[in-house]
Amino acid sequence: MRGKLPRVNSGRLVWTAVLALLAGAGARSVAIGGVVQAAAVESKVLGGSEALAVWTLPRLGVAVRNDPQDVRLLYGGRELRFTPGRGWRAVGFTLPAETRLGTPELVGGSLYVPLAAVRLLGVRVVVDAPDLLDFAAPAAIPPETLPPSPDAPSTGSASAPPPVAFPSAHLDTVRVSRTMYRTVEVQRVVLELSGQVPHEVVRESGGLRVILPGVRATPSRQTLASGDILSIEAGGQQNRPQTTVQLYTGGGTSEIFTLENPYRVVIDTTTLLSRSVPPPINTEALPEGVSYRVQGGLHLLSFDPARFQPRVVTAPLGTARDVASLVREAGGVAGVNGGYFDPVSRLPVDLVAVGGLMTAPSLEKRATIGFTAQGSTVFGYPRPRYVLQGSFGSVTVNTVGTRVRRELLTAFVGDGRNAVGDTGLTTLYLTPGASTVSRVTTGRNVPPPGTLALTFDPARFPQLPRTAGAPLTTTLNWQAEDAPWNEVQDALSAGPLLVQGGRVALNPRREAFNTLSSVWRPTRQVAFGMLGEKPTIAYLEHGTPEAFAAALAAAGVRDAVRLDSGSSATAYLTAGYGDLGGYLNTVWGQPVPNAIVLVPKVLGARK
């Protein structure tokens, strides 16, 4: 194709070394009752939405009619039906007003329907991971194919069905537009028809075909400004015309939908033409409950607290991930990178707490953000420490991590990978929330995931128990009264505190920041704060912490803490172009060990 950079499939983008990975929504393996199915059963991404083959659905307990002209999906008392020209219809329940289900599509001889349709039927998803969909095992597998829909047009007797009569129409106009958003190309092809007709989409390796039965058109072939090739082929018979529109895109992600008055079939193709900069957010496709505001070089993404709540999400210890990956893994809608970390070890250098467990120790001097189980946000300067209590009284844990220091009592939240302990040291295992020691071990050992491991030298801490079943409880003492920290489940420290009570609150001396160091240089800045009652991600295109704080206060932000900025600064939203997602930052941020992620309220609540 002339004048066009090579296309890159948005589901398989391999970024530069600066960004470890940005994978758009892609095909996933399918498991049923914990048993992974064959590769042929895996999902596919069609037009930016995940889909499943109709022939696989009986394995989930869904009775089907696998007919492109009359699709039926029945699960319990709920049914979805699709016929060309009428679209989807619900039987036994009402489709939510905001629901927009894609058209069934033929790919490689199989008919695919949206995963969203299967969810609407009530089929239970047990595991929804980035690379796996695990459905609950069905009580029974439907034995037979469903008959034609009772409300579908009659096709005559079974022995001699008459030809299907399609409405007659003409392809009057073809309009093409191309818009660039940074390095994202969005191309729209509009097929304007003289009347409403059904259409069938067939996706191919280099593009797609839209088949329009009953439509007459003038054959043509043209190379578009994007370099794509658009051809219109007239076929069929005199009394049964058919037009095929073929679009050779060479990649990208295409979404097909229809518009009324006049009737139009629209093909939107989104392509990332360069990996040099992150794609922008799509301000016209913001999720409900998300607002976006720009004030000079300051960008604010705010979230309805009734719909979303913030959480701290971490990569496995000693690793780093791009923010988009952390958002997807948590089922979130947006995210921003978290606290400071050592670029060599990729370990946080200040407090991180997740689910009520401290996974990285606090420097006890920097501004901290905390989130309660209900989604409330607090700001302050806690000095959290684990405190152990038993028949011996109480003792305070010195630090958190895997590093062995024989003179210290060290806690570590097990991950099943990293070892603690050493020769001559004892490690106690505790289940969070339990009141007794679950196991005692000596020497090097790998604590199971989620287990709180306490390692010490018995000679220095003779009062601690050394037998399983011994009474022992642990609490996280936040040692602060500037906010209700005892209710906090997730937290991370970064700093400095930029705004408090709507006023600039910078105090680098209090937080021991060196204003002559690189951390205080003019650069791109990110923060997390509150705009009114809305949790808010803030991004400043360029400036100092002082300039950032002043811009936030002028914008009406009530409280805000600066996060790791400069090369780490990343503010991501799932609302991009196609399935790419979008970024406020115009330079790729490096992978990070943790992030603040906004998740739907139903996913965010912690017990």
Side-chain angles (χ1 to χ4, degrees), residues 450-473:
T451 297
L452 185 60
L454 301 161
T455 301
F456 61 96
D457 181 350
R460 296 187 67 88
F461 296 92
Q463 72 271 43
L464 293 180
R466 274 168 266 176
T467 58
L472 189 66
T473 60

Side-chain angles (χ1 to χ4, degrees), residues 402 412-421 427 429 439 441-449 451 453 455:
T402 59
F412 175 69
V413 179
D415 58 7
R417 298 186 308 114
N418 287 279
V420 298
T427 299
Y429 288 176
R439 180 184 167 190
T441 185
T442 58
R444 293 290 283 174
N445 62 95
V446 178
T451 297
T455 301

Side-chain angles (χ1 to χ4, degrees), residues 78-92:
R78 290 182 165 225
E79 182 178 357
L80 285 170
R81 299 173 184 170
F82 177 89
T83 52
R86 296 183 64 186
W88 288 100
R89 328 186 279 292
V91 178

